[in-house]
Amino acid sequence: MPLLTVTGLRTHFHTRSGIYRAVDGVSFSVEPGETLGIVGESGSGKSATCYSIMGLIPQPPGRIEGGTAMFDGVDLLHCTPAAARGIRGNRVSMIFQDPMTSLNPYMRISDQLIEPLLIHGKTSRSEARKRALEMLASVGISDAARRMRQYPHEFSGGMRQRVMIAMALITRPALLIADEPTTALDVTVQAQILELIQRTQRELGMAVIFITHDLAVVSGLCDRVLVMYAGRIVETAGTRELFENPRHPYTRALRRSIPATQPKGAELYTIPGLPPDLSKPLPGCPFAPRCEFAVARCHDTPTSLSEVGPGHLQACLRVQSGEI
Amino acid sequence: MNPILELTGIKVHYPVFEGVLRRRHTGAVKAVDGVSLSLGTAEVLGLVGESGCGKSTLARAILQLVPLTAGKVVLGGRDLTALTAAELAEGRRDLQMVFQDPFASLNPRMTVFDTLAEPLLVHRVCTRAEVAARVSRLMGVVGLSPRFMQKYPHEFSGGQRQRIAVARALALEPKVIIADEPVSALDVSVQAQVLNLLAGLVRDMGLSLIFIAHDLSVVKHISDRVAVMYLGKIVELGPAADVIERPIHPYTRALVSAIPDPDPAKARASQRIVLPGDPPSPLNPPSGCAFHTRCPYAQEKCKAAVPPLAAYRGREVACVRVSEI
């Protein structure tokens, strides 16, 4: 049974210049212990999807227009605030992109670390401190006892991200949502953090949703990948299948534009045009205006995901009808 | 190959003071500590390293945007460090820069026309009457329609803004462009546009390019040679594909192994070298080879003396154990 099932999620932002359909009908599920990658460019709705699940969308201007997110029999989108608080930060944790701004600069590391345990009423203060010390050591911070008393500015970027991870894991969550946790870090530090996430995931048996714009990060880490474009899922498959046999034209274009996959010095493939304006209605395929395979019906026929192989779903009409 | 730009022993040290009433000079941050490089005509030199290794400071030092503690920058036979301010303003025509963040490097109150016309007018390259024609030609070179001339930066996407920044750098027909992380702020599909544009300029106009990035796969794609920096020094320098496919210096090896591979089969099989800890502070660098504190091959002798950048198998490597490891 899936740990988290999201069905038909729609999150819109109501602004003066119109309604932005940031997430427009997204459905997926996460199995216990699984690593799910969500890939997409800026503005594709990958973060908005996870923020919606975590109840972090500012309302207004945001509004969850529809859909459900079932976690352990509770609909996170429609339950009481008290029920959501019992799950959020406890059984579902999140780490954010920028470790420089996501820790409270006025609080000692120790106080921030034990906060989740105290709020969720799991332990006494002294027990919580002991757990925090163990957690800090296990994410690879040496001299943890001294470091506990320090403030965030005394830590480097990679170290702060470790503290964030320790904080997210201290309640032993069943699901960790990681929103571009390594984008702000150097490659060598990125390698350390990815390894840390993989190791703790094995130890705790937790599921991970890993949001990134970097296809290469996904390939070594995730079991399954969702590709998002303009607030919708355009393709989903097992990682290997997605990389070896991408079907949707957007996924193919994305893969061809990465320098590492191309011969040195060759002209890189570029996707013409720009992502669509999400405040305008998109009756057909959102990628059609930039797609080299688009025909007239792509612009006005609604798309939906359908299976092209075991566990491999994609939303291109022309692939579905066997034309490309 | 005749070098267009030659750097000799560049050092940029920032003094550190302590005390409020009695300021004492207590040390120096050695951001760049003895870098020598040369750049050929129509050559692309990639400069890689982690944040804080001094690659951006080096770029600024070449342009004389920060004062040099020591060293010479010779551009087309002229030593830029020995020029007066007026001569330098003239000399910089041949040397232009493209910055990382196209959202910050363009003046939001200037139209594209104003932005591109400014260098032409400041350097009196052409008369006011000719400016419009020059600007529309520049926009054509970077693949933007001259129709957009009167638009403001906020009306463009990130990739288009970066192309405007490239057009501005090209306005004075420089010999060398220094691009400091020009694609790091861009999405992959847009990144490809800017990379293709830069590669095309080098090929068609004979420009020389110093391309600074932390993404090794991008650097490998565009560069002829690559220099790897660690804590203010170059640790390895050689042909780009060679260095990145078969790295020699232990730091380059770790850096290369840390790049995630977009092929899932290879990504799972390959062994990552995960370096312990963070780079040391350039305020108080370790003795000898600065990398010895994190290096898996370090020995006693590595702590003793700073290893020089020495020729080894068709490239230059700064490691005393180069033949043993």
Side-chain angles (χ1 to χ4, degrees):
Chain A
M1 203 185 86
L3 185 65
L4 172 76
T5 309
V6 176
T7 322
L9 176 66
R10 289 189 297 126
T11 305
H12 296 175
F13 287 87
H14 297 257
T15 67
R16 252 181 232 173
S17 49
I19 302 169
Y20 285 84
R21 296 168 182 80
V23 183
D24 202 16
V26 163
S27 305
F28 64 93
S29 62
V30 186
E31 299 291 329
E34 181 188 41
T35 312
L36 176 72
I38 303 185
V39 182
E41 295 180 80
S42 343
S44 62
K46 54 194 194 303
S47 294
T49 300
C50 293
Y51 277 52
S52 305
I53 299 167
M54 290 297 275
L56 295 176
I57 295 285
Q59 306 191 30
R63 196 190 293 165
I64 298 192
E65 304 280 348
T68 56
M70 299 302 290
F71 179 84
D72 210 8
V74 180
D75 182 358
L76 292 174
L77 302 180
H78 296 101
C79 62
T80 62
R85 273 202 301 277
I87 293 173
R88 236 190 287 140
N90 185 15
R91 306 207 42 221
V92 185
S93 295
M94 186 153 180
I95 52 178
F96 299 89
Q97 172 170 354
D98 190 353
M100 299 297 160
T101 54
S102 44
L103 291 171
N104 185 336
Y106 292 116
M107 278 171 85
R108 287 182 199 277
I109 296 300
S110 57
D111 293 334
Q112 312 204 28
L113 264 178
I114 62 172
E115 210 178 23
L117 287 176
L118 298 182
I119 286 173
H120 294 293
K122 287 193 166 170
T123 53
S124 68
R125 209 176 168 87
S126 60
E127 180 64 24
R129 294 189 81 89
K130 230 177 81 197
R131 280 274 293 280
L133 201 61
E134 286 167 20
M135 204 63 227
L136 215 51
S138 84
V139 296
I141 290 183
S142 53
D143 200 3
R146 187 177 61 84
R147 289 299 223 164
M148 287 263 285
R149 291 194 298 274
Q150 293 187 325
Y151 287 92
H153 74 265
E154 296 172 82
F155 286 67
S156 68
M159 290 294 217
R160 283 185 221 195
Q161 200 56 286
R162 285 167 192 269
V163 172
M164 282 282 297
I165 292 173
M167 217 161 106
L169 299 182
I170 199 159
T171 55
R172 301 186 167 269
L175 174 64
L176 175 73
I177 300 177
D179 184 9
E180 306 232 14
T182 59
T183 305
L185 306 174
D186 277 315
V187 272
T188 58
V189 182
Q190 167 171 290
Q192 295 171 353
I193 297 294
L194 293 179
E195 192 166 273
L196 173 66
I197 292 177
Q198 276 177 305
R199 181 170 57 79
T200 47
Q201 180 182 18
R202 271 197 307 273
E203 285 167 12
L204 299 176
M206 76 185 166
V208 175
I209 298 181
F210 197 95
I211 305 173
T212 179
H213 65 270
D214 190 344
L215 275 173
V217 170
V218 160
S219 81
L221 190 72
C222 299
D223 302 315
R224 217 150 49 84
V225 186
L226 300 177
V227 181
M228 285 192 69
Y229 186 79
R232 304 177 197 183
I233 296 173
V234 295
E235 185 159 12
T236 168
T239 307
R240 231 184 151 137
E241 167 75 6
L242 187 87
F243 278 86
E244 279 166 13
N245 189 18
R247 300 301 299 275
H248 195 281
Y250 176 64
T251 318
R252 293 197 218 175
L254 210 53
R255 231 178 92 70
R256 278 165 65 193
S257 57
I258 311 176
T261 59
Q262 303 303 316
K264 184 180 153 50
E267 183 93 345
L268 293 173
Y269 178 73
T270 61
I271 305 177
L274 297 171
D277 180 351
L278 297 178
S279 66
K280 305 261 161 51
L282 293 164
C285 171
F287 188 59
R290 304 173 74 189
C291 179
E292 57 179 321
F293 301 106
V295 292
R297 69 189 155 95
C298 292
H299 294 272
D300 46 28
T301 316
T303 58
S304 61
L305 288 169
S306 75
E307 199 156 57
V308 282
H312 188 164
L313 281 76
Q314 68 84 44
C316 175
L317 291 168
R318 300 198 67 200
V319 171
Q320 283 163 357
S321 61
E323 291 168 49
I324 51 173
Chain B
M1 192 170 54
N2 215 358
I4 175 89
L5 180 71
E6 264 196 293
L7 313 177
T8 338
I10 303 268
K11 287 187 182 179
V12 181
H13 294 182
Y14 294 104
V16 177
F17 296 100
E18 259 174 43
V20 180
L21 295 175
R22 282 167 54 199
R23 298 238 300 166
R24 282 165 298 138
H25 184 241
T26 55
V29 173
K30 294 175 179 162
V32 179
D33 199 22
V35 167
S36 301
L37 273 177
S38 67
L39 179 71
T41 306
E43 187 189 28
V44 183
L45 176 73
L47 198 55
V48 296
E50 294 175 272
S51 26
C53 74
K55 52 193 196 301
S56 294
T57 306
L58 179 63
R60 275 153 218 253
I62 297 171
L63 279 150
Q64 311 293 307
L65 294 175
V66 292
L68 267 67
T69 310
K72 276 204 303 192
V73 178
V74 179
L75 175 70
R78 195 147 69 136
D79 183 0
L80 296 184
T81 53
L83 301 181
T84 63
E87 289 170 333
L88 183 61
E90 179 64 27
R92 280 210 193 101
R93 278 180 68 159
D94 289 335
L95 191 59
Q96 294 287 322
M97 185 145 177
V98 177
F99 295 91
Q100 171 170 359
D101 186 355
F103 292 84
S105 66
L106 296 174
N107 186 333
R109 296 181 181 226
M110 282 166 80
T111 62
V112 177
F113 176 82
D114 294 337
T115 299
L116 298 182
E118 191 178 37
L120 298 172
L121 295 173
V122 166
H123 284 277
R124 301 205 177 85
V125 175
C126 56
T127 63
R128 261 177 202 282
E130 296 161 4
V131 167
R134 290 284 287 248
V135 168
S136 60
R137 203 164 69 225
L138 274 173
M139 291 183 74
V141 170
V142 298
L144 289 172
S145 162
R147 284 188 289 131
F148 301 143
M149 212 183 265
Q150 293 305 331
K151 290 199 178 211
Y152 288 90
H154 73 265
E155 297 174 85
F156 293 93
S157 70
Q160 289 172 326
R161 281 187 226 203
Q162 199 58 296
R163 281 188 270 164
I164 298 169
V166 172
R168 178 176 60 183
L170 288 173
L172 296 172
E173 295 171 357
K175 298 193 178 90
V176 177
I177 286 188
I178 301 175
D180 188 1
E181 306 251 12
V183 297
S184 309
L186 307 175
D187 272 318
V188 261
S189 70
V190 179
Q191 174 180 310
Q193 297 172 2
V194 176
L195 287 176
N196 282 344
L197 170 63
L198 289 172
L201 293 174
V202 172
R203 196 178 50 231
D204 305 335
M205 298 169 72
L207 266 176
S208 306
L209 180 66
I210 295 185
F211 187 91
I212 302 176
H214 63 265
D215 185 339
L216 285 170
S217 60
V218 170
V219 170
K220 177 183 154 192
H221 184 82
I222 196 168
S223 311
D224 300 311
R225 279 189 309 151
V226 59
V228 182
M229 280 184 80
Y230 187 75
L231 230 59
K233 289 192 172 70
I234 292 178
V235 296
E236 185 160 356
L237 172 69
D242 228 23
V243 169
I244 291 168
E245 277 158 23
R246 288 174 299 278
I248 292 179
H249 194 283
Y251 177 65
T252 320
R253 289 190 199 181
L255 203 60
V256 168
S257 85
I259 317 173
D261 198 304
D263 179 346
K266 272 194 262 166
R268 303 246 170 192
S270 69
Q271 266 302 314
R272 255 189 230 140
I273 307 169
V274 176
L275 289 178
D278 290 312
S281 155
L283 179 59
N284 196 3
S287 64
C289 172
F291 187 57
H292 83 249
T293 51
R294 304 168 80 196
C295 179
Y297 306 100
Q299 288 182 337
E300 271 312 306
K301 64 178 171 185
C302 299
K303 298 176 193 168
V306 179
L309 198 59
Y312 184 76
R313 293 195 189 154
R315 62 182 102 158
E316 289 172 68
V317 185
C319 177
V320 285
R321 299 198 60 201
V322 66
S323 52
E324 302 164 29
I325 56 175

